[in-house]
Amino acid sequence: MLPKCYEIDAMQAHEVAVLRVWAASEGWNPGLHDLQIVWDIAPESFVALRHGSDLVGGGSILNYSGQFGFMGLFIMREDHRSQGLGTTLWHWRRDTLLSRLSPGASIAMDGVVDMVPFYQRGGFEPAYQVFRYQGVAKGVTSQNIERVQQSDVDDLLLYDQPVSRIPRANFLRRWIAQPGGFAVCHRTDGVFTGYGAARPCDTGFKVGPLFADTPEIARGIAQALMAEFEGQQVQVDVPEPNDAGLELVEAFGFKKVFGCTRLYLGAALPLPLQRIFSVTSLEFG
């Protein structure tokens, strides 16, 4: 139960912009267009906690066609923390997302390590770590890497699905074509064998997703992306089980700056982590 004058409801467009500012102030360095992309395709994904008309907390609960859910962007305004309000908001988000999913569908989240015991009490179980690496972009172009064109998108979506394991065509079409972003792909004998995207953030760029069949292909994709923003800060979120991915970013001279834990409520997705060299988004899956 919430105290008097508090309510949880759907977020309004202007409040999504506030949530993005909060995310930036927490040091998450969100993509400039990440939240807007999700708002455009699924505005019901954003949840607000208000005191009167004042936004004091929020988060996202993205529903992938009823088959999979993702919780992210859980933030309380600093002056409303440690009062139990965040706990109520978090459980409301979990239960509401479950009600929107098909029976047996799982929910995932990438949570800060200190909060893992709280999430476990809410039914989530940790699966693995994800590490954010940061450095300065140094890229080269390659004749084997091409910019993704509109004619490539259907092939890209076919490649993505068995790697991401979620139905996200509507989301991904917008993600790879966002303003200021880049997407490239690699083919072997005309067949897709990897792709990657980079997007502008408050500071520099983030690479994600970066999916590839081999570390060598992943390297070429990463270098081709970085050639587009040479000399700027770049961040890459690598699943810890992908040893080759960790070796790749360290070979680029990037440093580990952040870690979080992938958790699941329900069955963990059987992801081919050796092909995931950077996750798409810690906020949206």
Side-chain angles (χ1 to χ4, degrees):
M1 296 292 293
L2 287 169
K4 187 178 180 181
C5 298
Y6 287 88
E7 67 168 359
I8 299 173
D9 199 0
M11 192 169 278
Q12 300 175 13
H14 72 276
E15 294 172 323
V16 174
V18 174
L19 187 66
R20 191 192 171 283
V21 171
W22 289 355
S25 69
E26 294 289 326
W28 298 352
N29 195 30
L32 297 181
H33 308 287
D34 292 6
L35 276 67
Q36 186 64 48
I37 288 170
V38 176
W39 173 264
D40 288 343
I41 63 174
E44 71 281 0
S45 301
F46 294 94
V47 177
L49 172 63
R50 301 188 189 95
H51 181 236
S53 61
D54 197 17
L55 183 71
V56 298
S60 60
I61 47 172
L62 185 54
N63 170 11
Y64 286 97
S65 302
Q67 300 178 41
F68 179 71
F70 200 90
M71 295 174 62
L73 289 168
F74 176 45
I75 313 177
M76 290 295 299
R77 205 172 73 185
E78 192 170 0
D79 60 340
H80 280 72
R81 296 175 183 175
S82 303
Q83 301 176 40
L85 298 168
T87 297
T88 300
L89 173 62
W90 186 87
H91 282 89
W92 191 97
R93 291 167 58 239
R94 180 201 63 185
D95 295 345
T96 299
L97 183 53
L98 278 172
S99 73
R100 296 176 180 176
L101 300 175
S102 301
S106 300
I107 298 175
M109 62 180 301
D110 291 316
V112 296
V113 176
D114 289 347
M115 289 290 289
V116 167
F118 171 80
Y119 299 137
Q120 287 183 290
R121 291 193 294 272
F124 282 74
E125 289 299 328
Y128 53 85
Q129 300 291 106
V130 179
F131 295 131
R132 172 163 295 172
Y133 279 78
Q134 179 174 300
V136 176
K138 297 178 181 178
V140 295
T141 57
S142 167
Q143 63 180 2
N144 297 320
I145 308 295
E146 301 174 353
R147 277 284 197 105
V148 172
Q149 306 297 324
Q150 185 60 40
S151 58
D152 300 318
V153 173
D154 287 344
D155 286 340
L156 184 151
L157 295 174
L158 286 173
Y159 181 85
D160 178 85
Q161 206 286 320
V163 184
S164 69
R165 301 294 175 97
I166 54 178
R168 60 176 191 168
N170 198 25
F171 166 84
L172 200 56
R173 286 181 187 276
R174 289 163 173 78
W175 192 262
I176 63 174
Q178 59 182 282
F182 314 94
V184 302
C185 62
H186 182 280
R187 287 186 175 89
T188 302
D189 297 327
V191 178
F192 249 75
T193 48
Y195 84 96
R199 62 195 189 278
C201 301
D202 284 341
T203 303
F205 285 74
K206 283 183 187 174
V207 170
L210 200 173
F211 298 165
D213 287 359
T214 69
E216 292 74 23
I217 293 172
R219 174 184 290 274
I221 291 171
Q223 290 177 320
L225 289 171
M226 290 191 291
E228 302 282 358
F229 50 92
E230 180 91 22
Q232 297 197 52
Q233 176 183 290
V234 57
Q235 295 179 327
V236 185
D237 298 320
V238 187
E240 183 184 21
N242 189 337
D243 294 332
L246 298 177
E247 292 173 3
L248 179 61
V249 290
E250 290 172 358
F252 286 151
F254 296 174
K255 302 299 182 184
K256 187 190 304 183
V257 295
F258 175 76
C260 62
T261 302
R262 166 59 67 96
L263 303 103
Y264 288 96
L265 177 65
L269 289 183
L271 298 175
L273 293 171
Q274 301 309 311
R275 295 170 66 188
I276 300 176
F277 291 81
S278 184
V279 304
T280 304
S281 165
L282 297 180
E283 290 76 35
F284 301 120

